[in-house]
Coordinates of all heavy atoms in Angstrom, one line a residue:
I357 N 113.2 110.8 108.2 CA 113.6 110.9 109.6 C 115.1 111.3 109.8 O 115.4 112.1 110.6 CB 113.4 109.5 110.3 CG1 111.9 109.2 110.4 CG2 114.0 109.5 111.7 CD1 111.1 110.2 111.1
L358 N 115.9 110.7 108.9 CA 117.3 111.0 109.0 C 117.6 112.5 108.6 O 118.4 113.2 109.3 CB 118.2 110.1 108.0 CG 119.7 110.3 108.1 CD1 120.2 110.0 109.5 CD2 120.3 109.4 107.0
S359 N 116.9 113.0 107.6 CA 117.1 114.4 107.2 C 116.6 115.3 108.4 O 117.3 116.4 108.6 CB 116.4 114.7 105.9 OG 115.0 114.6 106.1
I360 N 115.6 115.0 109.1 CA 115.1 115.8 110.2 C 116.1 115.8 111.3 O 116.4 116.8 111.9 CB 113.7 115.3 110.7 CG1 112.6 115.6 109.6 CG2 113.4 115.9 112.0 CD1 111.3 114.9 109.9
I361 N 116.7 114.6 111.6 CA 117.7 114.5 112.7 C 118.9 115.3 112.4 O 119.4 116.1 113.2 CB 118.0 113.0 113.0 CG1 116.7 112.4 113.7 CG2 119.2 112.9 113.9 CD1 116.9 110.9 113.7
L362 N 119.4 115.1 111.1 CA 120.6 115.8 110.7 C 120.4 117.3 110.6 O 121.3 118.0 111.0 CB 121.1 115.2 109.4 CG 121.7 113.8 109.5 CD1 122.0 113.3 108.1 CD2 122.9 113.7 110.4
Y363 N 119.3 117.7 110.1 CA 119.1 119.1 110.0 C 119.0 119.8 111.4 O 119.6 120.8 111.7 CB 117.8 119.4 109.3 CG 117.4 120.9 109.2 CD1 118.0 121.7 108.2 CD2 116.5 121.5 110.0 CE1 117.8 123.0 108.2 CE2 116.2 122.8 110.0 CZ 116.9 123.6 109.0 OH 116.6 124.9 109.0
S364 N 118.3 119.1 112.3 CA 118.1 119.6 113.7 C 119.5 119.7 114.4 O 119.8 120.7 115.0 CB 117.1 118.8 114.5 OG 115.9 118.7 113.9
G365 N 120.2 118.6 114.3 CA 121.5 118.6 115.0 C 122.5 119.6 114.4 O 123.2 120.3 115.1
T366 N 122.6 119.7 113.1 CA 123.5 120.7 112.4 C 123.0 122.1 112.7 O 123.9 123.0 113.0 CB 123.5 120.4 110.9 OG1 123.9 119.1 110.7 CG2 124.5 121.3 110.2
S367 N 121.8 122.4 112.7 CA 121.3 123.7 112.9 C 121.6 124.1 114.4 O 122.0 125.2 114.6 CB 119.7 123.8 112.7 OG 119.2 125.0 112.9
Y368 N 121.3 123.2 115.3 CA 121.6 123.5 116.7 C 123.1 123.8 116.9 O 123.5 124.7 117.6 CB 121.2 122.3 117.6 CG 121.6 122.4 119.0 CD1 120.9 123.3 119.9 CD2 122.7 121.7 119.5 CE1 121.3 123.4 121.2 CE2 123.1 121.9 120.8 CZ 122.4 122.7 121.7 OH 122.8 122.9 123.0
W369 N 124.0 123.0 116.3 CA 125.4 123.2 116.4 C 125.8 124.5 115.9 O 126.6 125.2 116.5 CB 126.2 122.0 115.8 CG 127.6 122.1 116.1 CD1 128.6 122.8 115.4 CD2 128.3 121.6 117.2 NE1 129.8 122.7 116.0 CE2 129.6 121.9 117.1 CE3 127.8 120.8 118.3 CZ2 130.6 121.5 118.1 CZ3 128.8 120.4 119.2 CH2 130.1 120.8 119.1
L370 N 125.3 124.9 114.7 CA 125.7 126.1 114.1 C 125.2 127.3 114.9 O 125.9 128.4 114.9 CB 125.2 126.2 112.6 CG 125.9 125.3 111.6 CD1 125.3 125.4 110.3 CD2 127.4 125.7 111.5
E371 N 124.1 127.2 115.5 CA 123.5 128.3 116.3 C 124.2 128.4 117.7 O 124.4 129.5 118.2 CB 122.0 128.2 116.5 CG 121.2 128.3 115.2 CD 121.2 129.7 114.7 OE1 121.3 130.7 115.5 OE2 121.2 129.8 113.4

Side-chain angles (χ1 to χ4, degrees):
I357 295 300
L358 184 61
S359 66
I360 290 169
I361 291 169
L362 291 174
Y363 179 80
S364 301
T366 305
S367 180
Y368 173 77
W369 188 269
L370 287 175
E371 293 293 326

